[in-house]
């Protein structure tokens, strides 16, 4: 039996994660989740706002929490 596998693409804003992610997912037949969009839906704020208002450290903690949550899906 094959266990669920997941790939996280990490990089700076504007690096192309949201562009290459769906292409990669489609190529290998996996689902794609854009973490920025998931965070924005959950928080009601744009990722850039979170970064500017809450600071880089809190923004990164939020990213990590969301990654950990979605790795279980």
């Amino acid at each position: 039996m094959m266990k669920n596998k997941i790939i996280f693409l990490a990089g700076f804003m504007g690096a192309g994660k949201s562009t290459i992610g769906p292409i990669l997912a489609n190529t290998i037949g996996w689902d794609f989740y854009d973490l920025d969009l998931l965070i924005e839906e959950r928080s009601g704020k744009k990722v850039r706002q979170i970064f500017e208002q809450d600071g880089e450290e809190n923004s990164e903690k939020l990213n990590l929490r969301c990654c950990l949550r979605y790795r279980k899906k």
Side-chain angles (χ1 to χ4, degrees), residues 11-70:
F12 294 107
M13 287 183 212
K17 302 175 297 292
S18 296
T19 300
I20 204 69
I23 295 168
L24 174 62
N26 186 54
T27 300
I28 62 177
W30 291 8
D31 294 329
F32 173 74
Y33 300 96
D34 188 318
L35 192 60
D36 286 351
L37 294 178
L38 295 170
I39 289 170
E40 289 174 356
E41 284 177 10
R42 189 168 180 87
S43 70
K45 293 196 253 184
K46 294 286 186 187
V47 169
R48 185 171 300 279
Q49 287 177 301
I50 295 168
F51 190 85
E52 291 170 355
Q53 294 172 0
D54 302 332
E56 182 177 1
E57 185 176 336
N58 287 327
S59 177
E60 293 304 318
K61 286 179 183 177
L62 180 58
N63 275 311
L64 178 59
R65 283 196 307 269
C66 284
C67 283
L68 294 174
R69 181 180 302 118
Y70 283 95

